[in-house]
Amino acid sequence: MTAITPPAHQVLDEVTAIGGHRGGLPERAEELLDVLHRLVRFDAGRIALFDAPRHRQTDLAIRGYPDRARQYLAGPGAIHDAELLGLHRDPPPMRIRDLPRPAAEFPIWAEYLHPAGFREGVLVPLVTPDGRYLGLFAAMSHDARPVSDATCALLGRLSRPMAHALDPMRAIEALAALVTDAIAGVVLTGSGGTVALPGLPGHRLLRPGSPILAEARTCYDDGDTRATFLTPTGPAAPSGYLNVTVLACPDQPPHELTAVVLLRPAGDLRHLCHREMTVLGMLISGCAIGDVGARLRIPAHSVRVALEQARAKLGTSSSAAAVMRAADHGLYLPPSLIRSA
């Protein structure tokens, strides 16, 4: 496997610069492959993200791999191979000749790559500066000569800058940072789980199975790019409530990170009481005003009084305007959270 060794500082500068480009992740990955191809003359190159919730790899850029190999790499077998190699444990770059087990024991090599004429290669785990395993860069060559130790060392130095350039969480963190007073947060996944949001702690109200997360997922499924509502917390917050803000994630690979859910102080509640926020929430959810009392088990007169009091406190000229203002400012309790009071 032949290699060219441009100055290390030049390669590092180019990779770092790609991290600042405005293009999407696939465009950045293609740029990185161009840079890496000058460092390692490969016949097949690939940059893939590890999609942890769905336990698969998502290709951002791939060149030269046979179709059969691509199909294998898109399935669970490739994840199994990566785990056997311990790539998620942040090892140094691995050449085929240096694998901890014989290459013939890995299906991707024995059944797909070696029969296609590949004789050497190098695998570079991509690990973010904060230690998260993001994916890998793989380069395969028909040339049996391995890359040099110096090139392997340089690829190891490039792991974190490359991961930084391709980290989907960067855009999500920037989105979450727009909510400057957030105290906790998680990211929803399309498969129904959550992943941690770098820079913010988790919270007991955001644990898997939480009704808050179920409500947030409903907002996202309804097509809302931004939603906000209140949740009761009891004595855990000065007002007894926290604000929940839901922001749709950017549409980018691996397309499994769907929405950010943030907790923040409730702020000015306009002196709304629990019943008023509950009535507003039921109306916002589409419940007819005549059915609110039955669902809350209170007289219809009490519903009308609560709505009129909310209208006055929100400073609107009509009940309909009060409901709209409460929805816009998140000053309501969704029906799914009423039992959390």
Side-chain angles (χ1 to χ4, degrees), residues 53 55 64 78 153 174 196 284 341:
H55 203 64
I284 290 169

Side-chain angles (χ1 to χ4, degrees), residues 127-142:
V127 180
T128 62
D130 60 356
R132 288 177 289 116
Y133 172 64
L134 194 66
L136 80 161
F137 161 63
M140 298 296 151
S141 174
H142 297 306

Side-chain angles (χ1 to χ4, degrees), residues 234-301:
S239 67
Y241 303 90
L242 285 172
N243 175 276
V244 182
T245 298
V246 185
L247 304 172
C249 290
D251 185 18
Q252 61 181 0
H255 303 291
E256 173 66 358
L257 305 177
T258 57
V260 179
V261 184
L262 303 170
L263 294 181
R264 47 196 286 256
D268 183 4
L269 297 180
R270 305 294 290 271
H271 304 292
L272 292 167
C273 70
H274 188 85
R275 175 171 290 182
E276 293 158 1
M277 292 187 289
T278 299
V279 169
L280 289 168
M282 299 197 75
L283 295 173
I284 290 169
S285 71
C287 186
I289 192 169
D291 297 331
V292 173
R295 292 186 60 179
L296 294 179
R297 298 180 180 179
I298 60 176
H301 172 72

Side-chain angles (χ1 to χ4, degrees), residues 20-85:
H21 291 181
R22 293 183 177 272
L25 298 185
E27 290 78 11
R28 293 182 197 171
E30 291 288 352
E31 291 183 72
L32 286 172
L33 278 186
D34 288 338
V35 173
L36 293 167
H37 196 252
R38 299 201 306 272
L39 181 66
V40 180
R41 287 296 189 186
F42 52 78
D43 296 297
R46 175 178 184 247
I47 293 177
L49 294 183
F50 175 49
D51 185 348
R54 290 185 285 190
H55 203 64
R56 71 179 190 184
Q57 294 178 356
T58 298
D59 286 320
L60 292 181
I62 184 167
R63 304 174 186 173
Y65 283 85
D67 289 341
R68 290 184 65 248
R70 289 189 182 213
Q71 293 173 5
Y72 180 86
L73 291 170
I79 293 294
H80 180 67
D81 291 347
E83 290 174 344
L84 287 178
L85 290 170

Side-chain angles (χ1 to χ4, degrees), residues 225-237:
T225 59
R226 183 184 185 279
T228 180
F229 53 86
L230 294 169
T231 182
T233 65

